[in-house]
Amino acid sequence: MKILKVLLASSEVVPFAKTGGLADVAGSLPLALGELGVDIRVIMPKYASVKVKGNYATIGKGVKVYFVENEDWFDRKELYGDKFGDYRDNLDRFAFFSKSILERCQEEDFSPDIIHCNDWQTALVPAYLNTTHKYEPFFSKTHALFTIHNLAYQGLFPKDEFPKTGLDQALFNINYFEFYDKVNLMKAGIVYSDAISTVSPTYAKEILTKEFGCGLEGVLKRRQDILSGILNGIDYKAWNPETDSRIFRKYSAEDIDGKYVNKEMLQKEAALKVDRDIPMIGIISRLADQKGLDLVAKIIDDLLNMKVQFILLGTGDNRYHVLFEKMAKAHPKNTSINLKFDATLAQKIYAGCDLFLIPSRYEPCGLGQMISFKYGTIPVVRQTGGLKDSVREFDLKTGAGSGFTFTDYKPEALFGAIKKALSIYQNKDAWNSLVKSVMGLDFSWKASAKEYIKLYRKIVGA
Ligand code: ADP
């Protein structure tokens, strides 16, 4: 079979720049694709955080990552905005990035079968391929796949900025870019791509409904025949307690005592009481409405009056910063509130906690539950999107299942699931065998990378 040539375009890629799960995916899926024989390359902007000399680097076993350099647009500390909000020139920045992606293909003499675009930041690429570059021989065999990692972030801009795209003004209409009198890049990505995917099978269905469609459900329904959902995986070279040098002590499913050593060290570092028997509950999250933190706020006093410890790592909306700071003051003894982005502390929390909460309002895929599994930390999740596709309710009688789940977006439903988890936590034998069994689950890219290859082949018609 002909070797597939794929360029994955993303605004963030681990280990160079990350604000969320997109970076994890863009930094790990290509490694799995490369191992399966795809000629895969990656392209991203060169932000100030990219400490690399030159205009490319390699990751894994020689996967090339091209950097698009531009001092004005990308040489900044943050990716999309600062504490004052989104950068006002984001349309300039990502239109520039999208144009540069096509230019770079030509400079590198790499004519891809697929440009795999991700979210609004690269959504202009399919538009260019179908308009300004439509008759360019270099791209005559190039198709666009558009993956939606989060439909709620659409890349909306005032309509008078449309000329920044460099496209014919006539395209600012309801069939392409216009969305309630604004420019909507996500919409253009959906309209112009040869195929659309999202990051879990359940989210692929959910986004066709009014509740989850963020106003684009109608546009998506019209393209339903080319829409699919492929569950994200994680890279066990990056997330593995047996090899992780950022945690206090390495451990495996055969030696979960090592996990409890991590717990004690984390308790110590966080200035909490050092005691293995106190259940430790963690959250690592962007602090955004999506993540169900209002449910946490409503139960937290009752929860913290129980014998538990709560550790949070997150940054985001100011109102959640205020809320969690207040919580830390009210419960100084059993909370550790860390309002920042900190990759090392994140690993320590995944390793040291007993429970990990993801009560999301919606969740396209979610990676926290998969990382938690690998570290023997049991997720408590709301049944939505990728959480529904990856976490099964634990059954004490049969020992089946991998976590604790709830469905209604209500504080009492979340609290019920936590209380069930805490009661089973008291049964040490049952708990430890649950811990061991989730550590053995396989959420690597192996299966999902094959699904992507199938999709790529379908798109190119091979
Ligand atoms: P999203 O992409 O919506 O933020 P995901 O669950 O897909 O959510 O991915 C979140 C990723 O970002 C995970 O790898 C998680 O560990 C990480 N993360 C989130 N917040 C922080 C933080 N404050 N510090 C370190 N890592 C974080």
Side-chain angles (χ1 to χ4, degrees):
M1 234 187 293
K2 189 175 155 282
I3 290 178
L4 276 170
K5 290 195 283 179
V6 179
L7 180 70
L8 186 133
S10 173
S11 58
E12 47 185 274
V13 180
V14 160
F16 305 108
K18 165 167 167 176
T19 69
L22 169 59
D24 290 304
V25 173
S28 56
L29 169 61
L31 307 187
L33 291 169
E35 298 205 353
L36 291 168
V38 177
D39 180 357
I40 173 83
R41 311 188 190 183
V42 180
I43 188 162
M44 68 173 288
K46 193 169 186 185
Y47 306 106
S49 67
V50 182
K51 306 279 183 231
V52 172
K53 278 205 189 103
N55 65 2
Y56 76 94
T58 56
I59 54 173
K61 292 184 187 150
V63 173
K64 264 199 185 131
V65 180
Y66 298 125
F67 300 117
V68 172
E69 254 173 301
N70 183 292
E71 230 174 274
D72 292 340
W73 302 139
F74 302 128
D75 193 18
R76 302 180 189 182
K77 231 177 127 210
E78 301 296 332
L79 275 54
Y80 315 123
D82 53 23
K83 62 174 191 280
F84 305 110
D86 289 342
Y87 291 136
R88 315 248 342 216
D89 52 6
N90 274 345
L91 184 52
D92 297 282
R93 299 172 74 227
F94 290 100
F96 176 82
F97 178 47
S98 299
K99 283 176 203 154
S100 304
I101 290 167
L102 298 174
E103 278 168 23
R104 189 65 176 269
C105 286
Q106 290 178 297
E107 279 164 34
E108 302 287 342
D109 197 23
F110 182 65
S111 168
D113 298 305
I114 308 265
I115 302 186
H116 184 166
C117 304
N118 296 278
D119 281 350
W120 67 264
Q121 293 91 340
T122 49
L124 278 167
V125 173
Y128 293 143
L129 283 173
N130 278 286
T131 55
T132 50
H133 291 60
K134 193 172 166 83
Y135 299 106
E136 190 107 24
F138 190 85
F139 294 110
S140 63
K141 294 202 174 73
T142 301
H143 301 78
L145 166 63
F146 184 59
T147 298
I148 298 168
H149 295 257
N150 193 331
L151 191 61
Y153 300 89
Q154 301 181 348
L156 292 174
F157 300 95
K159 65 174 170 188
D160 56 8
E161 287 192 34
F162 185 75
K164 293 178 174 181
T165 63
L167 291 166
D168 188 340
Q169 184 66 37
L171 295 175
F172 184 73
N173 73 55
I174 189 92
N175 293 318
Y176 296 98
F177 281 89
E178 186 185 352
F179 182 77
Y180 298 100
D181 218 28
K182 285 199 167 124
V183 180
N184 186 328
L185 297 190
M186 178 76 88
K187 178 173 174 178
I190 293 167
V191 171
Y192 280 113
S193 293
D194 300 296
I196 305 155
S197 73
T198 183
V199 288
S200 70
T202 294
Y203 193 59
K205 286 187 213 131
E206 287 173 340
I207 56 177
L208 297 172
T209 66
K210 194 165 187 309
E211 188 186 353
F212 295 97
C214 304
L216 288 174
E217 61 275 11
V219 183
L220 282 163
K221 260 194 211 145
R222 264 175 265 135
R223 310 229 68 200
Q224 199 170 347
D225 51 330
I226 57 157
L227 169 68
S228 60
I230 300 176
L231 195 68
N232 284 337
I234 59 170
D235 178 7
Y236 287 135
K237 286 205 184 82
W239 304 103
N240 185 348
E242 291 180 49
T243 52
D244 191 337
S245 55
R246 295 201 250 197
I247 59 177
F248 298 103
R249 153 98 78 88
K250 298 181 178 107
Y251 62 97
S252 67
E254 284 69 53
D255 148 47
I256 52 169
D257 193 63
K259 175 171 176 64
Y260 298 115
V261 173
N262 276 285
K263 177 173 175 178
E264 288 173 341
M265 304 287 275
L266 179 63
Q267 287 171 325
K268 194 164 167 225
E269 189 176 273
L272 296 165
K273 186 173 179 207
V274 178
D275 182 345
R276 283 187 181 206
D277 292 331
I278 303 176
M280 198 170 189
I281 304 173
I283 290 185
I284 302 173
S285 181
R286 284 187 297 113
L287 302 181
D289 290 336
Q290 171 199 344
K291 299 293 182 180
L293 301 160
D294 51 331
L295 296 186
V296 177
K298 288 194 183 108
I299 63 157
I300 201 75
D301 285 322
D302 289 336
L303 181 64
L304 290 173
N305 286 330
M306 297 163 71
K307 197 180 166 199
V308 299
Q309 294 172 340
F310 177 70
I311 183 160
L312 174 130
L313 171 62
T315 160
D317 295 357
N318 190 49
R319 69 185 184 100
Y320 293 114
H321 285 233
V322 172
L323 187 130
F324 286 114
E325 265 158 12
K326 217 173 101 194
M327 182 191 304
K329 279 208 187 98
H331 303 273
K333 272 201 183 133
N334 55 348
T335 58
S336 166
I337 303 298
N338 308 274
L339 301 170
K340 58 179 176 179
F341 194 94
D342 183 338
T344 302
L345 180 57
Q347 318 269 106
K348 290 176 179 171
I349 292 174
Y350 284 122
C353 284
D354 300 294
L355 290 176
F356 192 85
L357 302 189
I358 319 180
S360 304
R361 194 180 284 277
Y362 72 91
E363 195 60 74
C365 177
L367 298 175
Q369 75 281 17
M370 298 179 185
I371 302 169
S372 291
F373 285 147
K374 191 69 186 170
Y375 286 78
T377 303
I378 309 302
V380 177
V381 308
R382 180 154 176 265
Q383 291 261 326
T384 180
L387 298 171
K388 191 169 169 181
D389 293 334
S390 56
V391 182
R392 300 262 167 281
E393 179 71 23
F394 177 67
D395 181 343
L396 184 58
K397 272 198 214 108
T398 62
S402 55
F404 300 91
T405 67
F406 64 101
T407 304
D408 290 345
Y409 193 80
K410 294 206 172 101
E412 52 282 13
L414 167 63
F415 203 30
I418 297 176
K419 280 196 285 200
K420 182 175 171 197
L422 291 175
S423 84
I424 290 170
Y425 180 82
Q426 299 309 323
N427 178 343
K428 280 280 164 285
D429 288 342
W431 190 263
N432 283 337
S433 69
L434 172 59
V435 167
K436 280 183 199 169
S437 87
V438 301
M439 288 179 81
L441 295 172
D442 185 0
F443 284 97
S444 68
W445 273 108
K446 234 184 283 159
S448 295
K450 283 189 190 139
E451 296 266 312
Y452 272 107
I453 293 176
K454 244 197 248 161
L455 178 58
Y456 294 154
R457 293 223 180 265
K458 190 169 158 198
I459 297 168
V460 300

